[in-house]
């Protein structure tokens, strides 16, 4: 078996900003959360500057870029405004996501097949600027192949439907979604793509998905910020790291 690559933990700090924005003051600060998460073992920080600025704001992104010592992953919709801000911010990576104003969170994956012509020049601009581009897509073979054709080096698989089914105890649906993720990760790796996963992950699902050797990064936010309310953010990062390490270790023992 080839050596198993380490699994990185990207901590999404959007919901620290959600809490801050509930009041017209500057606390709690997502930058403070990012620094603490890194100190506790996060490998990177993710933040989504949404078109409606419902959580992260422009100056949060700039402050995150300036303050953190680990990679910043800038989640964004494919709009001229966001492309300009991201190119100015120069994060380590961008993750291109679909965005609809009315949605509670990013509900589905990007339609790379349908948006090929719009995505190709955007991916090329980021590549020229030295910014790693990831496309947030569902584990659909047609979308995965389209991502490779569009020239993206990385995909992030939207695992929200699987996490929802696991949390609801819907075993048959969870099993079907899991099989889609496994097949999608295998196909993406064989197409030369780096594979990440995110959306809706908790300790249980992060541990399980860590057993897929194709996946090298998880981006996790909402669950961790919720846990942090009870046990603190540093402890939550350590507990998530331990869950991911358990999943990876189980894989390493598999013949
Ligand atoms: N990855 C992407 C691309 C996302 O859009 C989100 C949600 O902002 C996440 C990961 C994190 O999802 P969650 O907050 O459910 O952990």
């Amino acid at each position: 078996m080839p050596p198993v690559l380490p699994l990185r933990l990207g901590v999404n700090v959007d919901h620290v900003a959600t809490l801050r924005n509930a009041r017209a003051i500057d606390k709690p600060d997502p930058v403070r959360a990012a620094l603490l998460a890194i100190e506790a073992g996060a490998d990177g920080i993710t933040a989504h500057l949404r078109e409606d600025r419902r959580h992260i704001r422009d100056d949060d992104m700039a402050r995150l870029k300036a303050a953190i010592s680990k990679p910043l992953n800038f989640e964004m919709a494919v709009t001229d405004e966001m492309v300009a801000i991201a190119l100015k911010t120069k994060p380590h990576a961008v993750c291109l996501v679909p965005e609809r104003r009315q949605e509670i969170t990013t509900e589905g994956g990007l339609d790379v097949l349908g948006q090929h012509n719009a995505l190709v020049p955007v991916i090329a601009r980021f590549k020229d600027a030295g910014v790693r581009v990831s496309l947030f897509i569902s584990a659909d073979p047609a979308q995965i192949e389209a991502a490779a054709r569009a020239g993206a080096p990385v995909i992030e698989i939207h695992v929200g439907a699987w996490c929802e089914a696991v949390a609801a105890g819907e075993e048959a649906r969870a099993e079907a979604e899991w099989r889609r993720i496994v097949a999608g990760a295998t196909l993406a790796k064989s197409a030369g793509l780096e594979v990440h996963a995110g959306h809706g992950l908790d300790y249980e699902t992060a541990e399980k998905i860590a057993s897929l050797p194709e996946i090298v990064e998880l981006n996790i936010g909402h669950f961790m910020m919720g846990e942090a309310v009870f046990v603190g953010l540093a402890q939550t990062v350590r507990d998530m790291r331990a869950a991911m390490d358990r999943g990876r270790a189980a894989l390493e023992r598999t013949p």
Side-chain angles (χ1 to χ4, degrees):
M1 198 169 73
V4 178
L5 293 170
L7 180 59
R8 299 188 296 266
L9 169 60
V11 174
N12 179 316
V13 295
D14 288 352
H15 297 302
V16 179
T18 303
L19 191 56
R20 176 202 53 201
N21 297 355
R23 293 280 170 95
I25 55 171
D26 59 4
K27 289 185 181 63
D29 183 1
V31 176
R32 182 176 173 194
L35 293 171
L36 210 127
I38 289 169
E39 206 181 300
D43 300 296
I45 297 298
T46 295
H48 184 177
L49 184 65
R50 291 187 74 103
E51 199 189 348
D52 61 9
R53 310 307 200 261
R54 70 174 68 156
H55 38 57
I56 293 294
R57 297 172 180 155
D58 300 51
D59 77 304
D60 294 329
M61 272 301 184
R63 289 187 310 115
L64 282 167
K65 175 68 189 359
I68 65 173
S69 56
K70 291 278 168 103
L72 173 64
N73 178 30
F74 186 137
E75 273 184 31
M76 53 174 276
V78 188
T79 64
D80 291 345
E81 183 200 19
M82 285 304 151
V83 171
I85 296 172
L87 285 170
K88 197 167 146 225
T89 308
K90 285 202 190 314
H92 169 76
V94 290
C95 180
L96 306 183
V97 304
E99 208 175 287
R100 285 184 291 122
R101 272 187 184 245
Q102 309 318 328
E103 69 191 356
I104 295 173
T105 180
T106 313
E107 281 164 5
L110 204 59
D111 177 14
V112 187
L113 257 184
Q115 282 188 269
H116 177 89
N117 292 345
L119 285 169
V120 167
V122 171
I123 294 168
R125 281 183 78 186
F126 282 120
K127 275 184 162 175
D128 289 348
V131 177
R132 186 192 76 190
V133 185
S134 157
L135 304 181
F136 189 46
I137 59 175
S138 66
D140 171 351
Q143 295 293 349
I144 293 166
E145 282 158 4
R149 275 200 307 277
V154 182
I155 60 161
E156 180 168 322
I157 298 181
H158 192 317
V159 296
W162 171 59
C163 293
E164 251 177 53
V166 171
E170 293 174 23
E171 283 178 25
R173 189 161 72 95
E175 184 53 31
E177 291 293 344
W178 174 249
R179 278 200 300 270
R180 257 161 51 85
I181 293 168
V182 174
T186 310
L187 173 66
K189 178 84 197 285
S190 68
L193 294 161
E194 180 173 312
V195 192
H196 302 175
H199 214 286
L201 290 164
D202 60 11
Y203 295 136
E204 182 187 353
T205 45
E207 179 171 342
K208 172 130 180 167
I209 209 160
S211 72
L212 297 184
E214 295 81 9
I215 295 183
V216 296
E217 181 174 310
L218 302 181
N219 286 301
I220 313 178
H222 185 267
F223 170 79
M224 292 186 70
M225 295 310 151
E227 279 298 293
V229 170
F230 302 108
V231 302
L233 182 55
Q235 189 59 44
T236 305
V237 172
R238 288 192 291 269
D239 290 346
M240 184 55 81
R241 183 76 264 166
M244 289 162 57
D245 289 348
R246 278 195 302 277
R248 229 31 171 197
L251 162 78
E252 279 158 17
R253 280 196 297 274
T254 312

